[in-house]
Amino acid sequence: MMARPRLLLSSLVLGAGLVAAVLTMPLATAAERAVVIPPPAVDAKAEGGTAKAVFAGGCFWGVQGVFQHVAGVKNAVSGYAGGSRETASYETVSSGTTGHAESVEVTYDPAKVSYGQLLQVFFSVAHNPTELNYQGPDHGTQYRSEIFAVTPEQEKVARAYVAQLDKAGVFPEKVVTKVSGLRGFYPAEAYHQDFLTLNPTYPYIVYNDLPKIGNLKSLFQGLYAEKPALVSQARG
């Protein structure tokens, strides 16, 4: 198992110059290139109020950061899904034995962004859905690609989209993303929340996650929100 380095932020500040360089370098240099994919042929019905969706796609820092910049998203919380409440802590989940995956719970306005659009961002920008039980430098089942459907309709839409993407052959390998019903979502520790925004010069973020924000802005201009929907603001 390979996990992210511990949070020694005071000794790992790189400066704004390197951040700017990463954001302007070719997309495939610092992180995997995003894949342009078609929207889902089947989408969930738009309803009033708010809805929730839960996605797992490697380190939750980057997945959270991406969805926080999607217009119509009211909140995106890093946490754990797939296991029990008793084992929902970073140290325990990092063992890879709990059944949990690092996940992000997205609260969104279906009138502004659909579940299908969130799925499109998830598959195209937020992670690589062809990597089995790992994402980039992070290895273990806790970094797997999985969609935790909150409703039967979400499960139907997600399964149909996985089949659609595989049939279209938009990825060089088969999509390995699991689709399952959500049994519970447990928010991660406070220091994991808003990590990308609060630590833009942290090396892991610079090399692995900031390019995802650039990809989102480039490929989904109509969905991109410059100001992130932060957990700290939602709580305040």
Side-chain angles (χ1 to χ4, degrees):
M1 178 191 69
M2 182 181 296
R4 296 182 301 282
R6 300 300 297 172
L7 310 183
L8 303 177
L9 299 181
S10 61
S11 63
L12 291 172
V13 175
L14 301 184
L18 179 54
V19 174
V22 170
L23 289 176
T24 56
M25 68 176 60
L27 293 181
T29 301
E32 294 190 61
R33 184 180 298 274
V35 178
V36 177
I37 61 176
V42 179
D43 204 343
K45 297 177 182 177
E47 306 206 356
T50 60
K52 292 184 182 294
V54 178
F55 305 103
C59 171
F60 44 29
W61 294 343
V63 178
Q64 180 191 46
V66 166
F67 282 113
Q68 286 180 323
H69 279 281
V70 173
V73 169
K74 296 179 175 294
N75 199 11
V77 179
S78 290
Y80 313 105
S84 68
R85 181 184 301 275
E86 291 72 23
T87 59
S89 67
Y90 183 67
E91 294 295 337
T92 309
V93 171
S94 293
S95 71
T97 62
T98 65
H100 279 297
E102 291 195 12
S103 306
V104 175
E105 180 188 66
V106 179
T107 302
Y108 64 101
D109 182 350
K112 296 181 179 180
V113 59
S114 72
Y115 182 66
Q117 287 175 310
L118 295 179
L119 287 175
Q120 190 176 11
V121 169
F122 175 67
F123 283 115
S124 174
V125 172
H127 84 309
N128 183 339
T130 69
E131 295 179 342
L132 181 63
N133 295 330
Y134 78 99
Q135 283 291 307
D138 301 315
H139 290 246
T141 57
Q142 69 272 31
Y143 298 114
R144 67 185 180 271
S145 174
E146 185 161 359
I147 297 166
F148 295 96
V150 177
T151 66
E153 183 180 28
Q154 284 188 0
E155 184 170 353
K156 177 181 178 181
V157 171
R159 291 188 183 280
Y161 198 28
V162 169
Q164 176 188 340
L165 294 175
D166 272 337
K167 183 176 181 180
V170 294
F171 294 102
E173 305 290 341
K174 182 178 176 63
V175 172
V176 297
T177 306
K178 295 175 61 178
V179 180
S180 58
L182 179 68
R183 293 186 297 164
F185 175 83
Y186 309 100
E189 296 79 358
Y191 65 86
H192 285 301
Q193 306 301 340
D194 303 332
F195 195 90
L196 183 149
T197 298
L198 297 177
N199 303 283
T201 59
Y202 189 61
Y204 183 98
I205 295 295
V206 171
Y207 286 103
N208 295 289
D209 294 332
L210 286 186
K212 295 179 181 180
I213 308 302
N215 289 334
L216 177 68
K217 186 175 183 179
S218 175
L219 297 180
F220 295 91
Q221 297 179 16
L223 286 178
Y224 179 75
E226 188 70 35
K227 183 178 179 181
L230 300 180
V231 174
S232 55
Q233 294 174 347
R235 289 173 175 171

